[in-house]
């Protein structure tokens, strides 16, 4: 009886010679057929109003042709972007910079944020001749992309609690990244890493080269203990270090303050972004550093990034009857804490859902400083509006509850209203408000 060790691990691509279609021409024909059927599934999804069809295309392709992910990422220059927050916007910014030099057809990207293996395969299948790929990558997929795709650059933004029912322990993610960087050595990517995040720092130190970025913002509530030795980290103004081992904040190669990017050598550049918030200035600085590493002239990169307006619907303005609403997306405490700072309207609308894509556990609401909304009126909407209302009551923030999204958006709002939503609610609002990408 054969041992279990000879069987492929669940969810992994089988060896080519174990597949029913052999090698060479037969394999290419099978792959092309899988892509064709995936395209039909995507078309049906769009026709049914179920979304862009990107995910279902990738699911069909990888189900019918399991080696699709490994084959499609091979043989091209890759820039990968990952982290809990900011992946999609940073991917759009870096893509704009590279396309300004290489041309649209020569740079493929998963622009709508489908960042699992299926989404990446889906995106590349639509432009297999592109020599460059800018890939937003789910944190769980990063190790495999490092070892199989050998990206030139990996932007490492941050680690924080997100979808608590799926990512149980962020340190385990950081360790997997670190292990993959150690395993690939000089064949691995240049890490463009956030100096304010201790787990990112610990992981990025394993890269053969790290470019350190002071993003101008740091979330510390998920980084109390040293990921290297377990000691309690010591935080000071714009600095942190471990008292039990050498891990500490690095000196930055790029620093952003306001719209100014600087280096220790005295170089300065100015950002002209259309996406708001200090967190996006930090994202842009990481994209800028990665673009330079990949050979883009700094001023060309800045000019290209200035044209990015509403990446995958973020910060777009939707129309809901007589209401115009700016749509913001945040999925966890770190994202909400930063997004609240840029909400200008009064009232504001907060939409909470707990579908699979959001994470069923909404206990993170208690880690968000909703007290910052004091003085504004908040409209709570979405399936978990009552949970949010309880949190706002403790924060002593004036609020009302309108569970139905459509009803909440068709209120009497002067001018333009800001709406901050979790992922599923955000997608629903984009459809309702006519926001496409």
């Amino acid at each position: 009886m054969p041992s279990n060790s000879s069987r492929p691990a669940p969810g992994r691509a089988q060896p080519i010679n174990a597949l029913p279609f052999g090698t060479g021409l037969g394999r290419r024909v099978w792959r092309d057929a899988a892509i064709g059927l995936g395209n039909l599934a995507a078309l049906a999804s769009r026709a049914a109003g179920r979304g862009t069809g990107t995910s279902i295309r990738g699911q069909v392709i990888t189900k019918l042709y399991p080696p699709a992910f490994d084959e499609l990422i091979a043989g091209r220059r890759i820039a990968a972007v990952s982290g809990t927050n900011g992946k999609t916007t940073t991917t759009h910014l870096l893509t704009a910079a590279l396309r300004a030099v290489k041309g649209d057809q020569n740079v493929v990207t998963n622009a709508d944020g489908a960042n699992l293996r299926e989404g990446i395969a889906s995106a590349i299948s639509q432009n297999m001749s592109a020599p460059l790929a800018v890939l937003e990558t789910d944190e769980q997929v990063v190790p495999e992309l490092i070892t199989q795709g050998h990206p030139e650059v990996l932007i490492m933004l941050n680690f924080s609690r997100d979808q608590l029912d799926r990512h149980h322990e962020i340190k385990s993610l950081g360790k997997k990244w670190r292990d993959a960087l150690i395993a690939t050595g000089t064949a691995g990517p240049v890490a463009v890493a956030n100096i304010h995040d201790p787990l990112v720092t610990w992981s990025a130190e394993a890269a053969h080269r790290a470019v350190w970025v002071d993003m101008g913002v740091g979330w510390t509530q998920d980084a109390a203990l040293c990921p290297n030795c377990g000691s309690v980290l010591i935080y000071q103004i714009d600095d942190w270090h471990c008292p039990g081992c050498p891990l500490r904040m690095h000196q930055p190669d790029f620093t952003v303050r306001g719209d100014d990017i600087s280096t220790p050598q005295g170089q300065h550049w100015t950002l002209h972004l259309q996406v708001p918030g200090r967190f996006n200035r930090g994202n842009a600085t990481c994209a800028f550093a990665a673009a330079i590493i990949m050979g883009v002239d700094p001023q060309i990169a800045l000019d290209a990034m200035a044209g990015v307006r509403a990446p995958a619907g973020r910060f777009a303005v939707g129309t809901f009857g007589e209401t115009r609403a700016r749509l913001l997306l945040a999925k966890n405490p770190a994202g909400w804490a930063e997004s609240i700072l840029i909400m200008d309207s009064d009232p504001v609308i907060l939409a909470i859902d707990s579908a699979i894509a959001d994470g069923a556990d909404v206990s993170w609401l208690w880690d968000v400083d909703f007290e910052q909304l004091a003085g504004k009126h908040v409209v709570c909407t979405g399936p978990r509006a009552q949970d949010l209302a309880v949190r706002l009551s403790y924060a002593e923030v004036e609020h009302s509850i309108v569970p139905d999204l459509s009803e909440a958006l068709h209120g009497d709002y002067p001018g333009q209203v800001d709406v901050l939503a979790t992922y599923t609610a955000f997608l629903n609002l984009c459809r309702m408000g006519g926001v496409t990408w």
Side-chain angles (χ1 to χ4, degrees):
M1 181 175 181
S3 67
N4 288 335
S5 61
S6 64
R7 301 175 185 172
R12 294 286 298 151
Q14 299 179 46
I16 292 296
N17 59 11
L19 292 165
F21 38 85
T23 59
L25 179 61
R27 186 171 77 248
R28 290 194 297 274
V29 169
W30 195 287
R31 185 182 67 190
D32 291 346
I35 291 172
L37 290 171
N39 289 336
L40 288 175
L43 181 64
S45 177
R46 290 194 297 271
R50 300 291 296 272
T52 64
T54 301
S55 294
I56 188 63
R57 179 197 293 122
Q59 291 170 25
V60 170
I61 292 171
T62 54
K63 183 69 173 179
L64 295 178
Y65 189 77
F69 175 79
D70 289 346
E71 288 190 10
L72 290 171
I73 63 174
R76 67 189 81 242
R77 299 175 64 193
I78 294 175
V81 181
S82 197
T84 310
N85 297 301
K87 294 187 291 292
T88 299
T89 298
T90 306
T91 299
H92 278 251
L93 292 166
L94 179 54
T95 299
L98 288 170
R99 283 180 170 170
V101 175
K102 302 297 183 180
D104 290 356
Q105 288 304 308
N106 291 319
V107 183
V108 64
T109 186
N110 49 340
D112 63 353
N115 55 33
L116 294 169
R117 299 172 78 254
E118 295 81 4
I120 292 171
S122 176
I124 297 177
S125 75
Q126 302 305 287
N127 187 3
M128 291 189 290
S129 63
L132 278 164
V134 184
L135 301 178
E136 175 183 338
T137 310
D138 182 85
E139 299 93 299
Q140 296 277 17
V141 180
V142 167
E144 187 175 358
L145 185 68
I146 291 173
T147 56
Q148 300 297 322
H150 299 288
E152 286 186 34
V153 177
L154 171 63
I155 296 178
M156 304 168 67
L157 294 169
N158 47 65
F159 283 111
S160 65
R161 287 161 294 159
D162 186 50
Q163 298 188 19
L164 298 178
D165 48 342
R166 185 163 75 96
H167 295 316
H168 302 291
E169 175 52 63
I170 58 174
K171 182 183 174 181
S172 67
L173 289 173
K175 186 177 186 306
K176 291 176 182 177
W177 289 23
R178 180 180 172 88
D179 290 345
L181 290 170
I182 291 172
T184 50
T186 57
V190 176
V192 176
N194 174 11
I195 64 170
H196 290 288
D197 191 307
L199 186 51
V200 163
T201 299
W202 180 65
S203 302
E205 284 183 343
H208 71 93
R209 178 189 170 199
V211 173
W212 302 103
V213 178
D214 181 345
M215 298 176 65
V217 58
W219 171 262
T220 62
Q221 292 190 32
D222 294 308
L225 301 180
C226 173
N228 186 54
C229 73
S231 299
V232 177
L233 294 171
I234 296 176
Y235 287 90
Q236 298 167 313
I237 297 174
D238 206 28
D239 191 21
W240 60 267
H241 72 277
C242 176
C245 74
L247 188 68
R248 64 179 306 115
M249 192 171 84
H250 286 262
Q251 290 299 309
D253 298 295
F254 292 83
T255 297
V256 62
R257 290 294 181 268
D259 291 322
D260 179 73
I261 299 175
S262 63
T263 70
Q265 293 76 35
Q267 297 169 303
H268 288 268
W269 298 274
T270 302
L271 290 167
H272 298 283
L273 298 179
Q274 297 191 61
V275 289
R278 62 179 184 177
F279 56 96
N280 278 325
R281 292 192 289 270
N283 294 335
T285 305
C286 289
F288 178 66
I292 292 174
I293 292 167
M294 297 194 75
V296 180
D297 176 82
Q299 193 57 53
I300 292 176
L302 291 171
D303 292 344
M305 292 193 300
V308 175
R309 296 175 179 271
R314 291 147 174 82
F315 317 108
V317 175
T319 302
F320 304 82
E322 299 298 317
T323 302
R324 284 173 51 82
R326 182 174 64 153
L327 305 180
L328 288 75
L329 170 66
K331 298 175 284 185
N332 49 59
W336 276 72
E338 288 296 317
S339 297
I340 284 173
L341 295 176
I342 63 172
M343 300 189 80
D344 298 325
S345 68
D346 187 7
V348 298
I349 301 174
L350 304 183
I352 306 292
D353 204 341
S354 58
I356 292 174
D358 306 291
D361 185 343
V362 296
S363 62
W364 56 266
L365 288 170
W366 293 89
D367 297 319
V368 178
D369 186 13
F370 287 107
E371 285 77 5
Q372 295 177 95
L373 293 172
K376 293 180 183 285
H377 181 79
V378 176
V379 178
C380 307
T381 188
R384 301 303 289 267
Q386 295 285 354
D387 297 79
L388 174 60
V390 172
R391 173 66 184 96
L392 293 177
S393 295
Y394 278 86
E396 299 182 351
V397 174
E398 178 189 343
H399 61 276
S400 56
I401 303 172
V402 185
D404 182 75
L405 285 175
S406 179
E407 184 180 349
L409 267 294
H410 285 82
D412 182 16
Y413 303 112
Q416 181 175 292
V417 64
D418 282 336
V419 183
L420 179 57
T422 54
Y423 188 72
T424 303
F426 175 81
L427 293 182
N428 289 333
L429 289 166
C430 285
R431 285 192 287 268
M432 292 163 53
V435 173
T436 59
W437 59 86

